[in-house]
């Protein structure tokens, strides 16, 4: 906990500039784009799971300079054909869910990115680790902290590097706020609020299935507030409390599938966070960080589109990218291939901490007690 906090506090605007590649400089909080074409190593990626989010990542890779889509794993041949046509994927780089471990014999693939439903993360990532390729898994890493830790341990045992799809850790406005906090612009941090949610639709989708999702809104949207509180405040929490109001539709939101949860976290410095995760409301997407001398706000805070933000000093200057996942993939390529260190960690240990907090939130809802946390 302390080492993570110290690491973040050592960073300032200069570090922010370095970690905004592919831009090559930062002048007066505005990106400086180089005309020099990128000629370094390129991360060659195979996607596992080509549903809604897999398609978003695939489109983002088209704009990436340091990573490119070269392979696909799917159980739906018709979708695979579409992807091959759209992205120029050769037959030799096409796999299904039964044989994708054969990727270990394919020298044209460097990394495997898993965008499958939550319940498949643990078994599929552990299979992927056996290939010896770099691994990227979407969050949450597992349906609980036990699964997340098993994934981390399995990747370590296989000797493969694991990253988790924390796109907001590379998003320029988030990084600008972190840099300002590190520079002392807000003074001692006192309070954070992180709200996220939307009105969920199709009642038959896997996100509303306890066994497949691991829960409800907390596993899908609440994780943004959990993780955002940690990197915005710059500390790991030491306790959590939580409440769950009555469900509006107990048929749609069955036992173990949370519709709305309010939760609070306390930090070693005395800062507190008050957060909301919901499948029942739109227009709640907001982060607010308050210090003794200033504040920072993102509204919206978690969406795929351009984020908007301001501080007590005015509007945030960092330019939101057309697709956050493009910067994410460029930066992950740098981590894998060049040994770069991100401002905010995106490794498996980071994901295990979030999973432990979510487990504690569910325990707090069930027991009504303040749950102590030990994340390191």
């Amino acid at each position: 906990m302390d080492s993570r906090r110290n690491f973040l506090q050592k960073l300032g605007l200069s570090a922010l500039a370095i970690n905004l590649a592919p831009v090559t400089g930062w002048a007066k909080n505005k990106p400086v784009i180089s005309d020099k074409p990128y000629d370094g190593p390129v991360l060659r990626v195979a996607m596992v799971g080509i549903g809604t989010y897999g398609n978003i990542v695939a489109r983002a890779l088209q704009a990436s300079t340091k990573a490119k889509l070269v392979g696909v794993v799917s159980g739906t041949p018709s979708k695979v054909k579409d992807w091959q046509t759209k992205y120029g994927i050769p037959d030799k780089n096409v796999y299904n869910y039964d044989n994708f471990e054969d990727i270990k014999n394919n020298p044209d693939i460097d990394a495997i990115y898993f965008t499958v439903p939550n319940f498949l993360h643990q078994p599929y990532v552990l299979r992927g680790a056996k290939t010896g390729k770099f691994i990227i898994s979407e969050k949450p890493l597992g349906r609980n902290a036990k699964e997340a830790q098993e994934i981390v341990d399995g990747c370590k045992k296989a000797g493969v590097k694991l990253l988790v799809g924390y796109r907001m850790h590379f998003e320029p406005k988030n990084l600008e706020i972190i840099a300002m906090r590190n520079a002392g612009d807000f003074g001692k941090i006192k309070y954070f609020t992180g709200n996220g949610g939307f009105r969920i639709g199709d009642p038959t989708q896997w996100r509303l299935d306890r066994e497949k999702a691991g829960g409800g809104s907390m596993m899908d949207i609440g994780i943004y507030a959990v993780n955002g509180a940690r990197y915005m405040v710059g500390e790991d929490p030491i306790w959590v409390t939580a409440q769950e109001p009555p469900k509006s539709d107990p048929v749609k939101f069955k036992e173990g599938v949370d519709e709305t949860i309010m939760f609070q976290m306390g930090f070693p410095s005395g800062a507190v966070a008050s957060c909301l995760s919901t499948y029942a409301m739109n227009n709640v997407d907001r982060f607010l960080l308050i210090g003794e001398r200033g504040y920072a706000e993102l509204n919206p805070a978690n969406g795929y589109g351009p984020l908007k933000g301001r501080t007590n000093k005015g509007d945030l200057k960092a330019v939101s990218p057309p697709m956050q996942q493009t910067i994410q993939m460029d930066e992950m390529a740098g981590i894998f291939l060049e040994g770069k260190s991100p401002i905010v960690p995106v490794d498996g240990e980071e994901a295990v901490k979030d999973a432990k907090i979510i487990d504690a939130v569910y325990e707090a809802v069930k027991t009504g007690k303040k749950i102590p946390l030990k994340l390191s």
Side-chain angles (χ1 to χ4, degrees):
M1 178 175 61
D2 290 336
S3 63
R4 180 180 186 274
R5 187 182 183 197
N6 292 338
F7 171 70
L8 287 174
Q9 288 178 338
K10 290 177 182 177
L11 296 164
L13 284 171
S14 60
L16 172 62
I18 293 171
N19 281 271
L20 284 180
V23 300
T24 60
W26 192 263
K28 297 182 179 179
N29 284 331
K30 294 182 180 180
V32 178
I33 308 298
S34 173
D35 292 330
K36 184 179 178 180
Y38 176 74
D39 61 358
V42 174
L43 184 73
R44 299 166 298 176
V45 181
M47 297 293 303
V48 181
I50 55 178
T52 300
Y53 195 70
N55 275 275
I56 290 172
V57 174
R59 292 198 300 273
L61 281 165
Q62 287 183 301
S64 175
T65 57
K66 294 186 176 182
K68 67 177 181 177
L69 177 64
V70 300
V72 61
V73 178
S74 174
T76 309
S78 60
K79 287 185 178 180
V80 168
K81 288 298 182 185
D82 289 343
W83 270 49
Q84 286 189 269
T85 300
K86 187 181 297 184
Y87 303 115
I89 298 172
D91 290 340
K92 66 183 181 66
N93 290 355
V94 173
Y95 300 86
N96 58 49
Y97 294 129
D98 294 325
N99 68 7
F100 76 81
E101 287 164 287
D102 291 342
I103 288 176
K104 67 183 178 182
N105 300 316
N106 191 331
D108 296 330
I109 295 175
D110 303 312
I112 310 174
Y113 195 149
F114 294 87
T115 59
V116 291
N118 297 350
F119 74 106
L120 295 176
H121 288 183
Q122 191 255 20
Y124 279 22
V125 172
L126 290 181
R127 287 176 59 193
K130 295 177 182 178
T131 67
K133 306 294 184 178
F134 297 124
I135 300 293
I136 306 171
S137 173
E138 262 311 306
K139 58 192 182 303
L141 188 56
R143 291 175 295 180
N144 49 54
K146 179 177 180 293
E147 285 191 354
Q149 188 64 59
E150 287 171 351
I151 291 172
V152 170
D153 292 344
C155 287
K156 285 183 178 179
K157 183 178 180 180
V160 299
K161 192 170 184 65
L162 165 69
L163 300 181
V164 182
Y166 288 111
R167 58 189 166 87
M168 291 304 180
H169 291 198
F170 307 105
E171 197 284 322
K173 284 185 168 58
N174 279 271
L175 294 181
E176 184 177 353
I177 291 172
I178 291 171
M180 292 180 70
R181 186 204 69 214
N182 292 341
D185 290 355
F186 310 130
K188 182 179 179 181
I189 301 302
K190 305 293 289 184
Y191 177 79
F192 173 83
T193 186
N195 298 334
F198 55 92
R199 293 185 62 86
I200 198 166
D202 180 10
T204 66
Q205 63 183 283
W206 67 264
R207 288 176 177 82
L208 296 175
D209 183 317
R210 170 68 178 83
E211 288 304 310
K212 292 181 178 179
S217 69
M218 277 298 304
M219 301 298 293
D220 185 18
I221 195 70
I223 192 171
Y224 287 95
V226 167
N227 188 256
R230 293 176 54 227
Y231 68 71
M232 285 288 184
V233 174
E235 300 179 85
D236 286 332
I238 55 176
W239 58 258
V240 63
T241 55
Q243 307 80 39
E244 182 178 15
K247 296 176 180 179
S248 66
D249 186 345
V251 175
K252 186 174 185 178
F253 301 100
K254 298 178 177 63
E255 181 68 24
V257 179
D258 49 287
E259 179 182 14
T260 298
I261 288 181
M262 294 86 72
F263 61 99
Q264 303 79 40
M265 294 179 284
F267 298 85
S269 65
V272 294
S274 179
C275 303
L276 170 72
S277 172
T278 184
Y279 273 160
M281 293 174 273
N282 293 325
N283 305 309
V284 296
D285 183 8
R286 184 188 187 206
F287 279 2
L288 177 64
L289 182 71
I290 297 177
E292 290 182 329
R293 295 199 300 271
Y295 74 91
E297 179 183 29
L298 286 173
N299 186 5
N302 304 316
Y304 297 153
L307 305 186
K308 295 182 180 180
R310 60 179 179 173
T311 74
N312 53 293
K313 295 186 175 184
D315 290 343
L316 291 170
K317 306 300 183 183
V319 178
S320 289
M323 294 193 74
Q324 297 156 359
Q325 294 83 0
T326 297
I327 287 183
Q328 173 195 326
M329 293 310 302
D330 279 341
E331 292 301 298
M332 285 186 167
I335 295 169
F336 282 136
L337 301 178
E338 303 172 67
K340 286 189 172 183
S341 295
I343 288 177
V344 185
V346 289
D347 53 34
E349 287 78 6
E350 182 82 354
V352 170
K353 290 182 179 182
D354 286 343
K356 287 181 177 179
I357 295 170
I358 293 174
D359 282 358
V361 167
Y362 284 136
E363 184 180 353
V365 166
K366 183 178 180 180
T367 65
K369 296 180 179 179
K370 178 187 286 188
I371 307 300
L373 293 168
K374 187 175 182 180
L375 301 183
S376 60

